[in-house]
């Protein structure tokens, strides 16, 4: 299943969610691929991949290869184009396709050819290899983001528990309806995720209640708290489960991973035990 983590508004915990949800699904025993589609590369650095141009094949180069094959009338092999770009992540069962700054140039290439399905063609052959493919999208409704929406089966929308959250959410849902109508009729929203929740602030509780009132069926039960350890984990290049497995942020993303599995009708394949967590932490320290 391809899950795109999306919100056109920046600073809502989108990349944090993509990283830590992918890590949680991997720790629950499911082979998971994290795809960094944001040219800023924050998801890549957040799991310890080096930033900057890569000497190997990048996601951008794979997209260009698929488009060149299409223009030349050749049969595109997305797996062949993308295979060298897949790196081992910091956890067992977690693989990563990192971003590079040159990915920003794909916007020009895509706009010239009006291509919206390049990412779908690339990721389709990987469905048999990975139970979950989690895509971190740019914080805008760019052509890269549209590519992620065309490729995705389900969407996870992080919503910051602050003032402008509902206004931006309404605009995003209207855009998604257009994508579903014209480009991907099978696309659906798996859930809305409340992020940066602070129970000490009345505003956080008010926004949370409004979301419960307007979207009771879509809202995840899990709330992601404001948490210092969660905020500092990317600077160490680790998911929160490796940086501080006992923190409230780690516990929240463990529960979110379990909730995502439930919504997919899938069971965990491995327990989230303290023993396995300790071993993983030692291995990656």
């Amino acid at each position: 299943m391809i899950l795109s983590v999306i919100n056109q508004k920046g600073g809502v915990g989108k990349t944090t969610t993509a990283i830590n949800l992918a890590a949680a699904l991997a720790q629950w025993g499911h082979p998971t691929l994290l795809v960094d589609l944001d040219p800023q590369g924050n998801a890549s650095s957040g799991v310890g991949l080096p930033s900057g141009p890569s000497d190997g094949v990048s996601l951008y180069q794979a997209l260009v290869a698929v488009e060149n094959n299409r223009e030349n009338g050749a049969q595109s092999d997305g797996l062949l184009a993308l295979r060298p770009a897949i790196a081992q992540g910091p956890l067992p069962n977690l693989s990563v396709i990192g971003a590079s700054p040159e990915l920003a140039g794909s916007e020009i290439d895509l706009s010239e050819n009006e291509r919206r399905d390049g990412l779908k063609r690339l990721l389709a052959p990987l469905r048999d290899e990975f139970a979950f493919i989690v895509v971190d999208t740019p914080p805008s409704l760019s052509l890269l983001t549209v590519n992620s929406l065309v490729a995705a089966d389900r969407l996870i929308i992080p919503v910051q528990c602050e003032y402008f959250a509902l206004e931006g959410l309404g605009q995003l849902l209207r855009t998604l309806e257009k994508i579903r109508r014209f480009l991907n009729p099978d696309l659906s929203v798996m859930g809305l995720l409340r992020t940066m929740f602070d129970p000490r602030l009345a505003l956080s509780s008010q926004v949370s209640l409004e979301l419960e009132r307007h979207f009771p069926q879509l809202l995840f039960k899990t709330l992601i708290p404001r948490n210092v350890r969660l905020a500092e984990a990317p600077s160490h290049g680790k998911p929160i489960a490796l940086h501080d497995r006992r923190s409230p942020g780690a516990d929240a993303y463990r529960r979110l991973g379990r909730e995502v599995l439930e919504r997919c009708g899938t069971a965990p394949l491995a327990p989230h035990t303290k023993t396995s967590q300790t071993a993983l932490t030692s291995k990656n320290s």
Side-chain angles (χ1 to χ4, degrees):
M1 176 173 289
I2 300 178
L3 303 172
S4 281
V5 183
I6 179 173
N7 195 317
Q8 64 199 37
K9 187 177 183 296
V12 300
K14 177 180 58 60
T15 297
T16 298
T17 294
I19 291 171
N20 291 295
L21 173 60
L25 292 171
Q27 288 184 291
W28 283 121
H30 292 273
T32 302
L33 175 66
L34 173 64
V35 179
D36 189 354
L37 197 62
D38 187 347
Q40 297 178 85
N42 291 333
S44 303
S45 60
V47 292
L49 264 65
S51 59
S54 172
D55 294 332
V57 174
S58 67
L59 179 56
Y60 167 75
Q61 292 167 326
L63 281 168
V64 169
V66 165
E67 293 305 326
N68 287 341
N69 283 342
R70 190 203 312 250
E71 291 176 7
N72 295 331
Q75 183 67 34
S76 172
D77 188 339
L79 184 56
L80 183 63
L82 202 55
R83 171 64 65 191
I86 301 175
Q88 174 60 47
L91 290 164
N93 288 323
L94 180 61
S95 300
V96 184
I97 296 177
S100 62
E102 62 184 356
L103 189 58
S106 65
E107 291 282 357
I108 299 174
D109 299 324
L110 294 171
S111 63
E112 287 178 349
N113 299 299
E114 296 185 351
R115 301 302 190 194
R116 300 180 178 90
D117 64 345
L119 185 66
K120 180 178 181 179
R121 292 158 65 90
L122 279 176
L123 296 181
L126 296 175
R127 287 179 177 271
D128 293 335
E129 184 173 347
F130 296 99
F132 293 97
I133 299 175
V134 179
V135 182
D136 182 39
T137 60
S140 63
L141 288 175
S142 63
L143 273 172
L144 284 173
T145 306
V146 172
N147 262 256
S148 77
L149 295 175
V150 173
D153 301 305
R154 310 288 292 277
L155 303 178
I156 294 176
I157 305 175
V159 182
Q160 187 179 8
C161 291
E162 293 191 0
Y163 182 70
F164 291 112
L166 293 178
E167 180 180 342
L169 179 59
Q171 181 182 353
L172 176 59
L173 291 176
R174 287 191 292 273
T175 300
L176 297 181
E177 184 55 39
K178 293 179 182 178
I179 296 292
R180 185 161 39 231
R181 189 181 311 160
F182 297 110
L183 297 173
N184 185 359
D186 297 324
L187 182 66
S188 64
V189 177
M190 173 176 281
L192 308 178
L193 177 66
R194 290 164 287 184
T195 61
M196 304 181 189
F197 180 80
D198 189 339
R200 299 169 299 178
L201 300 178
L203 181 58
S204 281
S205 298
Q206 290 169 5
V207 171
S208 180
L209 289 172
E210 282 296 299
L211 289 168
E212 289 176 4
R213 186 163 67 90
H214 290 286
F215 307 102
Q217 302 302 318
L218 287 179
L219 209 59
F220 284 111
K221 296 177 182 177
T222 303
L223 289 86
I224 307 300
R226 282 195 179 275
N227 178 239
V228 172
R229 301 294 277 172
L230 182 59
E232 69 186 18
S235 67
H236 295 270
K238 294 180 179 180
I240 187 60
L242 292 180
H243 180 58
D244 187 351
R245 64 179 176 83
R246 296 183 179 87
S247 67
D251 179 63
Y253 277 108
R254 268 194 301 273
R255 287 186 282 110
L256 176 65
R258 185 65 181 263
E259 198 170 350
V260 167
L261 292 178
E262 290 173 356
R263 294 197 178 197
C264 294
T266 304
L269 299 179
H272 251 293
T273 63
K274 290 185 178 181
T275 301
S276 64
Q277 290 292 330
T278 302
L280 289 170
T281 303
S282 299
K283 179 180 178 180
N284 287 274
S285 60

